[in-house]
Amino acid sequence: FGDFKVRVVYRSIIGNSGFHFRCTPIDHPVGLIGIQAEIDGRGWAVGGLYDTLKRGWLVQPDHNFVATYYKPKDWNEMIVEAKGRNVTVTVNDTVTAELKDDPGALEGHFALQLHGSDDVTVEFKTIELLH
Protein backbone atom coordinates (compact mmCIF):
# COMPACT_ATOMS: atom_id res chain seq x y z
CA PHE A 1 0.00 0.00 0.00
CA GLY A 2 1.07 3.58 -0.65
CA ASP A 3 -1.37 6.28 0.44
CA PHE A 4 -4.15 4.95 2.69
CA LYS A 5 -6.55 5.57 5.53
CA VAL A 6 -7.18 2.70 7.95
CA ARG A 7 -9.55 2.48 10.90
CA VAL A 8 -8.71 0.00 13.66
CA VAL A 9 -11.10 -0.64 16.54
CA TYR A 10 -9.31 -2.56 19.27
CA ARG A 11 -9.25 -3.38 22.95
CA SER A 12 -5.87 -3.93 24.57
CA ILE A 13 -6.09 -5.98 27.74
CA ILE A 14 -2.40 -6.57 28.42
CA GLY A 15 0.90 -5.99 26.68
CA ASN A 16 2.16 -3.94 23.79
CA SER A 17 1.08 -4.12 20.17
CA GLY A 18 0.93 -1.88 17.13
CA PHE A 19 -0.41 -1.34 13.64
CA HIS A 20 2.55 -1.41 11.23
CA PHE A 21 2.41 0.25 7.84
CA ARG A 22 4.74 0.95 4.91
CA CYS A 23 6.79 -1.99 6.17
CA THR A 24 9.30 -4.23 4.46
CA PRO A 25 9.66 -7.89 5.55
CA ILE A 26 13.22 -8.80 6.56
CA ASP A 27 15.11 -11.88 7.74
CA HIS A 28 15.38 -10.82 11.38
CA PRO A 29 13.60 -11.94 14.58
CA VAL A 30 11.50 -8.74 14.45
CA GLY A 31 10.43 -9.66 10.90
CA LEU A 32 10.08 -6.20 9.39
CA ILE A 33 11.31 -2.64 9.09
CA GLY A 34 8.77 0.16 9.10
CA ILE A 35 6.56 2.49 11.08
CA GLN A 36 3.99 1.46 13.66
CA ALA A 37 1.14 3.31 15.29
CA GLU A 38 1.40 2.27 18.92
CA ILE A 39 -1.29 0.12 20.57
CA ASP A 40 -0.13 -0.12 24.16
CA GLY A 41 -2.31 -1.70 26.85
CA ARG A 42 -0.24 0.03 29.51
CA GLY A 43 -1.32 3.38 28.06
CA TRP A 44 2.23 4.77 27.86
CA ALA A 45 2.34 5.90 24.25
CA VAL A 46 -0.96 4.97 22.57
CA GLY A 47 -1.23 6.65 19.18
CA GLY A 48 2.47 7.43 18.96
CA LEU A 49 4.64 6.56 15.96
CA TYR A 50 7.70 4.31 16.21
CA ASP A 51 10.05 3.36 13.38
CA THR A 52 11.05 -0.26 14.01
CA LEU A 53 14.77 -1.04 13.59
CA LYS A 54 15.55 2.42 12.19
CA ARG A 55 14.83 5.77 13.81
CA GLY A 56 13.02 4.71 16.99
CA TRP A 57 10.38 7.10 18.34
CA LEU A 58 9.15 9.58 15.75
CA VAL A 59 6.31 10.91 17.92
CA GLN A 60 5.96 9.73 21.52
CA PRO A 61 2.90 11.19 23.26
CA ASP A 62 3.31 12.25 26.88
CA HIS A 63 1.66 9.84 29.35
CA ASN A 64 -0.52 12.65 30.74
CA PHE A 65 -1.77 13.45 27.21
CA VAL A 66 -2.53 9.76 26.56
CA ALA A 67 -4.70 9.68 29.69
CA THR A 68 -7.01 12.31 28.13
CA TYR A 69 -8.05 10.15 25.13
CA TYR A 70 -7.18 6.49 25.74
CA LYS A 71 -9.74 4.15 27.34
CA PRO A 72 -7.78 1.35 29.08
CA LYS A 73 -9.18 -2.16 28.57
CA ASP A 74 -12.09 -0.71 26.58
CA TRP A 75 -12.74 -0.35 22.86
CA ASN A 76 -10.67 2.39 21.20
CA GLU A 77 -10.75 3.67 17.63
CA MET A 78 -7.47 4.47 15.89
CA ILE A 79 -7.33 6.05 12.44
CA VAL A 80 -4.01 6.06 10.62
CA GLU A 81 -3.78 8.12 7.44
CA ALA A 82 -0.74 8.38 5.19
CA LYS A 83 -0.69 10.73 2.19
CA GLY A 84 2.65 11.07 0.51
CA ARG A 85 5.16 12.04 3.19
CA ASN A 86 2.53 13.10 5.73
CA VAL A 87 1.14 10.75 8.39
CA THR A 88 -1.59 11.43 10.96
CA VAL A 89 -2.79 9.21 13.80
CA THR A 90 -6.07 9.87 15.59
CA VAL A 91 -7.27 7.93 18.65
CA ASN A 92 -10.84 8.41 19.81
CA ASP A 93 -11.17 11.67 17.82
CA THR A 94 -7.91 13.14 19.21
CA VAL A 95 -4.92 13.73 16.92
CA THR A 96 -2.10 11.95 18.71
CA ALA A 97 0.73 12.09 16.17
CA GLU A 98 1.57 13.96 12.98
CA LEU A 99 4.54 13.63 10.67
CA LYS A 100 5.16 16.20 7.96
CA ASP A 101 7.62 15.53 5.13
CA ASP A 102 8.67 12.19 6.62
CA PRO A 103 11.69 10.78 4.75
CA GLY A 104 10.59 7.14 5.29
CA ALA A 105 9.15 4.67 2.81
CA LEU A 106 6.16 5.71 0.70
CA GLU A 107 4.70 2.22 0.40
CA GLY A 108 4.85 -1.20 1.99
CA HIS A 109 2.95 -3.87 3.86
CA PHE A 110 0.49 -3.67 6.74
CA ALA A 111 1.11 -5.85 9.82
CA LEU A 112 -0.04 -6.27 13.40
CA GLN A 113 2.64 -6.33 16.06
CA LEU A 114 3.03 -8.94 18.76
CA HIS A 115 5.94 -8.52 21.16
CA GLY A 116 7.37 -12.03 21.47
CA SER A 117 8.80 -11.39 24.93
CA ASP A 118 5.53 -10.00 26.41
CA ASP A 119 2.20 -11.47 27.38
CA VAL A 120 -0.18 -9.80 24.93
CA THR A 121 -3.96 -9.84 24.71
CA VAL A 122 -5.38 -7.46 22.12
CA GLU A 123 -8.78 -7.89 20.52
CA PHE A 124 -9.53 -6.37 17.11
CA LYS A 125 -13.17 -5.64 16.36
CA THR A 126 -12.55 -3.85 13.04
CA ILE A 127 -9.64 -3.31 10.69
CA GLU A 128 -11.04 -1.33 7.79
CA LEU A 129 -9.27 0.16 4.78
CA LEU A 130 -11.17 3.40 4.17
CA HIS A 131 -9.11 4.45 1.13
Side-chain angles (χ1 to χ4, degrees):
F1 292 89
D3 291 354
F4 67 87
K5 184 175 184 178
V6 167
R7 182 172 76 99
V8 179
V9 178
Y10 70 92
R11 176 169 50 194
S12 183
I13 306 302
I14 188 170
N16 186 355
S17 184
F19 174 75
H20 284 268
F21 57 94
R22 295 183 171 176
C23 294
T24 302
I26 59 170
D27 185 21
H28 182 279
V30 172
L32 56 80
I33 292 175
I35 298 176
Q36 70 167 296
E38 191 73 20
I39 295 173
D40 184 353
R42 300 165 295 192
W44 293 350
V46 175
L49 290 169
Y50 188 85
D51 192 349
T52 303
L53 296 179
K54 282 193 172 182
R55 300 174 285 170
W57 282 107
L58 304 174
V59 179
Q60 184 176 13
D62 176 84
H63 180 69
N64 293 321
F65 179 49
V66 172
T68 67
Y69 59 83
Y70 177 61
K71 300 180 286 188
K73 299 185 182 183
D74 199 354
W75 294 105
N76 291 272
E77 177 187 73
M78 175 185 286
I79 296 176
V80 181
E81 185 168 16
K83 289 184 180 180
R85 299 209 169 274
N86 300 321
V87 177
T88 303
V89 179
T90 304
V91 177
N92 298 326
D93 298 319
T94 299
V95 175
T96 60
E98 289 186 284
L99 293 178
K100 301 287 186 192
D101 299 320
D102 183 66
L106 291 174
E107 62 181 32
H109 297 275
F110 292 143
L112 299 175
Q113 178 192 42
L114 170 66
H115 273 268
S117 61
D118 291 348
D119 286 337
V120 178
T121 301
V122 178
E123 299 170 341
F124 293 94
K125 184 186 283 186
T126 304
I127 302 174
E128 182 179 19
L129 182 60
L130 301 174
H131 67 76

